Amino acid sequence: MDYEDARRAVAAGATPEDAARELVAELTSDERLWLLDGDAPTWAGLRFLGEDGYHLAPFPAARVERVGIPGIAFSDGPRGAVVGNATAFPVTMARGATWDPDLEERVGEAIGRELRIAGADLTGAVCVNLLRHPAWGRAQETYGEDPFHVGELGAALTRGLQRHVMACVKHFACNSMENARFSVDIEVDDVALHEIYLPHFKRIVDEGVASVMSAYNSVNGEWAGQSHALLTDVLRDEWGFLGFVISDWIFGLRDAATSIHAGLDIEMPYRMVRQQHLADALERGDASWDDVDAAARRIVATLLRFDPVLTAPAPSPNVLCAPEHRDLAREVAGRSALLLRNEMVGDSPALPLAPGSRVAVVGRLADVVNLGDGGSSDVWDLDCVTVRAGLADVFDVTDDPAGADAAVVVVGCTYLDEGEYIGETDASLPAMFPAQDEPEVVARFEESIADLPTTVKPGRLDDRPRGFGTGGDRTSLRLSDEDVETIRQVAAVNDRTIVVIQAGSAIVMSEWVDDVAAVVQSWYGGSQAGPGLADVLTGVVNPSARLPFSVPADEADLPDFDRDATTFRYDRWHGWWHLRRTGRPAAFPFGFGLSYTTFAIADTAIEVVDDGPIVITGSVENTGGRSGADVVQVYADLPDVDAPDRLVGFARVEVEAGGRSPFRIEVARDRLATRDPDRNQWNAASGIHRLRVARDAADTASPVHELRL
């Protein structure tokens, strides 16, 4: 039997699992082991990686030519296809600020199309680790601090991607620190783990994601890439996950035998730890061929399950960076721009500005292509528009704030301040490398990269070192002294000063925010950052973004964060829950965002039918003079007064000026369940719950409905 026979068997009605079992039984021992790691040699692969290989070709694994198993071709993609010259979309956190799963699904579909053109069929685009603290270096790669919000956006991206490729959700689990990611042990109890740090992963597993990537860190004393508790007890036995698990890159597991027993299927991206040690472990009896075969079956069954997607014709190369993808990137850049402050200047608000106004555009990031992290999520887009260039299309742009109608000051962070950390690591890790590569594997690898499609390295990267960025976790949540001084100088000469912040998460602004008329967080806005921001500043797009995290008044208001920790405890209290518990009001609360119009929530009602979902209905009234969109949020106070509140539903509602639009939000009952640590199971919701229909987490004027379950 070969892979084509297995495909025909599935087409004839066999389950992918049964067809995979029959095919794997035909494989030799060497072929079964070959499935379990990357197809590339370690040292030759690392040299290729250091020569920008991450952007030149997908990473292959699990290919068995004799029987035609196609294996996988992996490329990253949180903000666009990493291989080739693709469209750079705004970073994931920016898209989280849209609170719009439909928009995110469209982004996923666009990224999926471009990945297929690049030759990839598996992507690590779905990064959903919680923002436990805004200093986390890779904050920009996730959607926010709340598990329900993150899960809904991640599920939407997965749906879009998997129309064209297989999606991989990462990093499983508790991976919310960057500098210490190779060494830190996260201590977390069963309640916090299941109620806070895992629900969004389960949501995406339930959506049908093909693959899960394990994390570097350890959880409760075991490396995540070889944690039986995570990869088997939770992921497969409790959640019923049918796909395959891959390791994070290079140092994703420490022991071959432990990892295969735990349920990690593919070591990525090289023939490294398992190639050196798994065969001997099997010979000694330290590892089991039953575990090897189970992993092999999961890989093959997933490929068969996704065969209709993976064998569909690839999109035309003309789709790469096509006008419709550029338009989508611009739409997302505008829809994600978050209006945090908009004071009156004279008899009008600071924003919006009339097209053609004389506008000073200053600040060290005003004319810089600032896409964010320079690590594994970087996108080599060749057509990126800076803020200054985008604003110059609609305003009379000047460098003189004193003589301008308004001044836009562009400040914030870059890849040097935050991002993926490739710096000093655990001193024991280099011992995991093999002494040398297998010559025949090197020959095949070099043949595979000898004639790659042309990829042009953007000129903006000429002054960067080769390899990944080294930003890591942030050391401060405040702007640099240089940025603050620029803001103060401009505000002193122009009353209509608008600060535009580029960053992956929260910026503490207490020392300067009262001196300026307006603040817009525009994130790392992708290739169309300038035009997207111009749409918002002119009012072509009415701001509708909402904060996907809390912005504190002071760093001291947040939980502890130690980027060099070797052990760290995660509990149920971070973000808006921590601020509420400690009585420290946020400078800008979770779910907050301004508009050029005003809204009111009215006519709310709650309905429970038998054992079905809880249904909240109502309407949003636009009480201002511009059409716009509001985000209705439903928060639940649980009967246990010691438990954190929960966001359990939300809806983005478009409303015409002066009009009303209805909303309907369904809350599944399992969103109110609580974890029983003694039985390692869930308790169904019971007792009196208070459901708040609100406009942000701190909305005290919101309607409250009591519900007895």
Side-chain angles (χ1 to χ4, degrees):
M1 184 181 191
D2 62 15
Y3 190 75
E4 286 302 312
D5 294 328
R7 291 182 64 220
R8 286 191 287 269
V10 173
T15 67
E17 287 72 25
D18 286 344
R21 181 176 292 104
E22 188 173 349
L23 177 54
V24 169
E26 298 288 328
L27 301 180
T28 68
S29 297
D30 286 344
E31 287 169 339
R32 283 182 280 170
L33 293 180
W34 182 270
L35 283 168
L36 305 186
D37 54 24
D39 291 353
T42 300
W43 294 108
L46 286 169
R47 285 193 295 273
F48 180 62
L49 190 67
E51 296 167 355
D52 297 323
Y54 209 74
H55 298 281
L56 303 181
F59 285 77
R63 292 176 179 170
V64 181
E65 293 181 3
R66 182 182 70 83
V67 295
I69 296 175
I72 61 173
F74 179 98
S75 174
D76 242 314
R79 51 187 151 119
V82 164
V83 172
N85 297 121
T87 305
F89 289 91
V91 293
T92 310
M93 188 66 81
R95 304 189 322 259
T98 70
W99 291 62
D100 190 341
D102 292 339
L103 180 64
E104 184 66 353
E105 189 170 339
R106 290 166 54 203
V107 171
E109 187 163 10
I111 294 174
R113 282 193 290 263
E114 297 200 358
L115 284 161
R116 280 293 301 279
I117 295 168
D121 58 22
L122 175 67
T123 178
V126 191
C127 180
V128 294
N129 295 108
L130 281 191
L131 181 70
R132 181 189 169 273
H133 193 286
W136 179 36
R138 292 177 80 171
Q140 62 196 266
E141 289 189 53
T142 191
Y143 294 102
E145 70 186 21
D146 182 276
F148 176 71
H149 169 262
V150 168
E152 291 303 300
L153 272 296
L157 183 67
T158 299
R159 287 193 298 273
L161 288 166
Q162 291 195 158
R163 294 192 180 96
H164 302 282
V165 296
M166 296 181 291
C168 176
V169 62
K170 63 185 185 185
H171 308 82
F172 192 68
C174 297
N175 180 201
S176 298
M177 300 168 66
E178 189 61 14
N179 287 43
R181 60 181 174 158
F182 295 111
S183 56
V184 69
D185 179 50
I186 300 301
E187 300 173 354
V188 58
D189 65 36
D190 192 68
V191 173
L193 181 66
H194 283 270
E195 292 189 2
I196 305 298
Y197 293 98
L198 294 186
H200 41 300
F201 282 99
K202 184 178 186 300
R203 173 68 181 87
I204 294 160
V205 165
D206 290 345
E207 192 62 45
V209 73
S211 180
V212 172
M213 179 187 288
S214 59
Y216 285 127
N217 55 278
S218 65
V219 179
N220 292 330
E222 182 59 88
W223 300 110
Q226 52 195 50
S227 169
H228 193 279
L230 286 174
L231 303 184
T232 295
D233 296 346
V234 172
L235 184 60
R236 295 201 172 93
D237 293 347
E238 184 171 341
W239 296 355
F241 177 60
L242 297 177
F244 58 87
V245 176
I246 66 175
S247 74
D248 206 340
W249 252 227
I250 304 177
F251 298 130
L253 59 92
R254 307 299 177 96
D255 183 81
T258 306
S259 72
I260 194 70
H261 175 65
L264 189 136
D265 299 315
I266 306 177
E267 177 187 3
M268 290 294 287
Y270 305 129
R271 289 177 56 76
M272 191 169 154
V273 175
R274 287 180 170 177
Q275 181 271 327
Q276 296 178 80
H277 304 297
L278 187 53
D280 289 345
L282 289 162
E283 181 71 21
R284 294 191 306 269
D286 295 339
S288 163
W289 278 104
D290 288 342
D291 290 333
V292 170
D293 289 348
R297 290 194 297 267
R298 288 190 289 263
I299 297 163
V300 175
T302 305
L303 292 172
L304 291 169
R305 193 176 303 112
F306 280 86
D307 186 69
V309 171
L310 302 181
T311 58
S316 165
N318 294 334
V319 171
L320 197 66
C321 299
E324 58 266 30
H325 289 185
R326 293 283 182 217
D327 291 345
L328 180 58
R330 179 172 182 163
E331 179 183 356
V332 178
R335 290 271 300 278
S336 63
L338 182 64
L339 184 61
L340 292 173
R341 180 177 173 86
N342 193 22
E343 298 299 297
M344 297 295 290
V345 180
D347 58 359
S348 65
L351 290 172
L353 302 173
S357 299
R358 186 165 177 78
V359 176
V361 181
V362 298
R364 63 187 178 88
L365 301 180
D367 207 21
V368 175
V369 174
N370 190 19
L371 300 182
D373 182 26
S376 60
S377 67
D378 196 13
V379 178
W380 280 10
D381 194 317
L382 298 176
D383 185 18
C384 298
V385 185
T386 68
V387 169
R388 185 181 180 89
L391 299 191
D393 285 339
V394 294
F395 299 121
D396 177 12
V397 168
T398 177
D399 295 321
D400 179 16
D405 299 322
V408 174
V409 186
V410 188
V411 293
C413 301
T414 73
Y415 75 99
L416 295 172
D417 302 299
E418 56 180 355
E420 189 167 3
Y421 182 72
I422 307 293
E424 294 184 8
T425 59
D426 187 328
S428 67
L429 294 180
M432 296 166 58
F433 291 122
Q436 58 187 14
D437 289 333
E438 303 153 286
E440 67 278 10
V441 176
V442 173
R444 283 199 299 271
F445 176 71
E446 291 180 344
E447 182 180 357
S448 72
I449 63 173
D451 190 26
L452 294 173
T454 299
T455 298
V456 178
K457 187 172 184 177
R460 66 178 183 274
L461 305 180
D462 289 345
D463 60 346
R464 287 194 191 181
R466 286 190 177 274
F468 289 173
T470 57
D473 299 313
R474 274 197 274 163
T475 58
S476 173
L477 298 184
R478 297 178 184 269
L479 294 176
S480 68
D481 291 343
E482 177 186 354
D483 283 348
V484 173
E485 182 60 25
T486 301
I487 291 169
R488 286 174 171 158
Q489 289 178 356
V490 173
V493 298
N494 194 308
D495 291 340
R496 199 178 294 268
T497 293
I498 300 143
V499 175
V500 171
I501 297 173
Q502 296 180 339
S505 67
I507 295 290
V508 174
M509 339 178 175
S510 53
E511 73 267 42
W512 54 263
V513 69
D514 292 336
D515 298 331
V516 302
V519 178
V520 177
Q521 181 132 2
S522 66
W523 318 99
Y524 300 115
S527 63
Q528 301 302 300
L533 180 63
D535 290 340
V536 171
L537 298 189
T538 57
V540 170
V541 171
N542 191 345
S544 61
R546 300 292 183 265
L547 273 170
F549 49 72
S550 309
V551 178
D554 189 271
E555 295 98 324
D557 295 343
L558 296 173
D560 291 339
F561 184 85
D562 179 2
R563 70 177 196 165
D564 299 315
T566 55
T567 62
F568 209 86
R569 176 168 291 278
Y570 283 7
D571 58 24
R572 294 185 292 171
W573 306 96
H574 72 275
W576 61 275
W577 308 275
H578 175 83
L579 293 174
R580 175 172 293 185
R581 187 189 194 199
T582 57
R584 296 171 180 172
F588 302 101
F590 174 80
F592 172 83
L594 298 176
S595 169
Y596 296 149
T597 188
T598 52
F599 300 98
I601 297 172
D603 306 325
T604 61
I606 190 167
E607 179 183 5
V608 182
V609 179
D610 299 326
D611 293 327
I614 301 159
V615 179
I616 297 96
T617 58
S619 62
V620 176
E621 181 181 1
N622 186 333
T623 55
R626 288 174 175 262
S627 298
D630 197 16
V631 177
V632 179
Q633 303 156 41
V634 179
Y635 296 88
D637 298 341
L638 305 187
D640 180 358
V641 296
D642 294 326
D645 300 355
R646 293 181 187 175
L647 175 73
V648 293
F650 62 86
R652 186 176 184 276
V653 185
E654 298 272 0
V655 194
E656 294 293 324
R660 284 193 177 208
S661 293
F663 66 83
R664 174 187 172 90
I665 298 173
E666 292 191 359
V667 178
R669 289 174 181 248
D670 60 7
R671 294 179 202 162
L672 301 173
T674 54
R675 188 72 175 181
D676 184 337
D678 296 326
R679 297 184 302 132
N680 292 324
Q681 294 179 359
W682 289 92
N683 292 326
S686 64
I688 297 176
H689 294 68
R690 290 165 50 86
L691 272 60
R692 295 183 291 119
V693 185
R695 301 191 60 241
D696 60 58
D699 183 357
T700 58
S702 54
V704 177
H705 297 270
E706 283 197 355
L707 174 68
R708 181 180 290 277
L709 296 174

